[in-house]
Amino acid sequence: MATDAPPPEGSTEKGPAQPTTEAFVAEQESAEFGELRRSHRSFAFPLTIAFVLWYLLYVLLSNYAGDFMGTKVYSNFNVAFVFGLAQFLTTFLIAWFYSRHANAKLDPKAEAIKSRMEADV
C-alpha cells in the first residue's frame, strides 16, 4: 500500500521523486498503461499455456505411452530422453524470446511511463 509519508528522519537517501497514490491510480487507468499490459499479456499468456501443455504432454506420454517413449532414436538415446532435452531447450528459447520482446516493446513503454510519473511530481 502506498503512502504519502515522508522518509524517516535522518535519511540521506535521495531517490527519484515519488508520485502520489492518486497519480499511480490515474496512470493505471491510462490508455498507455493498458497498452503495456496488453502487450505483456498477449505475449506471456500464450507462451505460458503452450509450454504447460508441452510439459503435460511429456508427462502424460511418459506415464501412458511407455513403449513409444522407450523407442530408441540413436544408440542409447530414446524418445523420452530427446523430449526431456527439448524441455530444457524450449525453456531457454522462451526466456530468450521474452527478453527480446521486453527489450523491444515493453521496456520503452515502461520507461516512458516511469519518466513521466517521476517528472510530474
Side-chain angles (χ1 to χ4, degrees):
M1 183 166 112
T3 64
D4 292 334
E9 285 188 43
S11 175
T12 58
E13 286 186 37
K14 288 288 185 185
Q18 295 297 312
T20 63
T21 302
E22 293 78 19
F24 276 110
V25 171
E27 187 60 45
Q28 184 179 9
E29 294 171 352
S30 73
E32 187 177 13
F33 188 77
E35 177 58 34
L36 176 63
R37 281 196 333 214
R38 271 188 300 283
S39 183
H40 167 70
R41 289 177 179 171
S42 67
F43 186 87
F45 287 179
L47 271 180
T48 301
I49 291 168
F51 183 78
V52 168
L53 290 174
W54 159 234
Y55 177 74
L56 288 175
L57 175 69
Y58 174 67
V59 171
L60 290 172
L61 286 174
S62 294
N63 282 322
Y64 299 110
D67 291 339
F68 170 70
M69 295 297 269
T71 304
K72 289 192 177 194
V73 176
Y74 176 77
S75 184
N76 287 332
F77 299 108
N78 59 18
V79 172
F81 184 77
V82 172
F83 277 21
L85 288 178
Q87 292 287 318
F88 286 101
L89 178 64
T90 55
T91 300
F92 290 114
L93 284 174
I94 288 170
W96 179 68
F97 282 137
Y98 180 78
S99 176
R100 288 187 52 194
H101 173 72
N103 286 335
K105 302 217 170 139
L106 303 179
D107 292 348
K109 292 176 186 177
E111 188 60 39
I113 291 170
K114 178 184 171 205
S115 297
R116 186 176 62 247
M117 287 192 71
E118 288 176 351
D120 286 346
V121 176

